[in-house]
Amino acid sequence: MLYLGTPSGPDVRAAMSAGLLGCMTTPAQGNRIPDHALYACDNGKFGKGWPGADRWYTWLENTATRYGQDRCLWAVAPDVPFDAAGTLTESLPWLPRIRELGIPAAFAAQDGCDQLGIPWAEFDVLFLAGSTEWKTGPVAERLAREARARGKAVHMGRVNSRQRLRTAEWFGCDTADGTYLAFGPDTNLPKLTSWLDELHHTPSLFGDAA
């Protein structure tokens, strides 16, 4: 699993350039993506970084052009945090436009989205968003496994602890992100890399799960 963070400090940037970590970027961050690093594009809807639909799409287009579509893991369509119905309405028009840029489109799964129907054919990556209780619970796990069975990648947002990282691994997530490296990167980078090393050297139970 690849952990995506903000390029906070020279050691973190070096780890990203070496492929040990990926870079998460948003319209508000203004971060320069490290050379050779894989990156993903969040939309800034969670928090105060949403610039509006037109400016977001222009930013996304410019980012993909500047850093290359081949390095972009995915871009998440505009969503409404913690609102499954609102997210479905907001995201559907943008998913094909993300794909038109030559990058994978991610759909943000929120609490209750399984009751409304998942637009599986419209996206490439299932982004486990929503509340902490929901995205680490049985419905999110089932959706993650279904996404994998359909040949789609899975991402979990807001992963800032060893236990949450192990949960994401158990669900079969390909990527996870969090703000863990943004606060005290000199201390937290060694901790994070040790957690990832532990996961990489522990056989995944995903394939054995029913």
Side-chain angles (χ1 to χ4, degrees):
M1 181 169 53
L2 185 66
Y3 190 87
L4 312 177
T6 55
S8 49
D11 290 342
V12 174
R13 298 182 70 86
M16 290 178 177
S17 291
L20 302 177
L21 301 171
C23 181
M24 178 69 90
T25 188
T26 72
Q29 285 174 349
N31 291 326
R32 180 181 179 277
I33 297 169
D35 294 341
H36 312 299
L38 297 175
Y39 68 96
C41 298
D42 204 348
N43 55 41
K45 279 279 194 167
F46 183 77
K48 300 179 180 180
W50 174 242
D54 291 338
R55 290 179 62 189
W56 160 77
Y57 192 75
T58 297
W59 166 82
L60 181 61
E61 187 173 26
N62 291 340
T63 299
T65 299
R66 179 177 181 182
Y67 295 106
Q69 293 93 332
D70 58 323
R71 290 167 55 193
C72 185
L73 297 167
W74 45 262
V76 63
D79 63 313
V80 181
F82 312 111
D83 183 342
T87 291
L88 195 61
T89 299
E90 185 95 356
S91 294
L92 280 176
W94 292 105
L95 292 167
R97 296 194 63 184
I98 293 172
R99 285 175 163 177
E100 287 171 4
L101 297 178
I103 55 180
F107 174 74
Q110 312 281 355
D111 306 43
C113 65
D114 57 308
Q115 302 299 315
L116 302 176
I118 307 295
W120 293 109
E122 305 302 318
F123 64 87
D124 310 292
V125 180
L126 182 71
F127 186 124
L128 298 177
S131 68
T132 297
E133 294 75 17
W134 183 84
K135 73 179 176 185
T136 58
V139 174
E141 179 181 356
R142 176 174 58 80
L143 292 177
R145 298 189 189 284
E146 182 173 352
R148 290 289 298 266
R150 290 172 176 268
K152 300 181 185 297
V154 182
H155 175 84
M156 182 181 286
R158 302 199 312 279
V159 174
N160 293 300
S161 69
R162 178 177 177 273
Q163 182 57 47
R164 190 73 55 80
L165 198 63
R166 293 189 67 85
T167 298
E169 172 79 1
W170 168 248
F171 283 11
C173 293
D174 300 274
T175 54
D177 81 274
T179 57
Y180 190 71
L181 291 174
F183 305 98
D186 292 342
T187 300
N188 290 341
L189 178 60
K191 291 181 181 178
L192 177 61
T193 53
S194 71
W195 297 344
L196 292 169
D197 187 63
E198 177 184 305
L199 289 182
H200 294 160
H201 288 85
T202 301
S204 174
L205 299 178
F206 176 80
D208 299 328

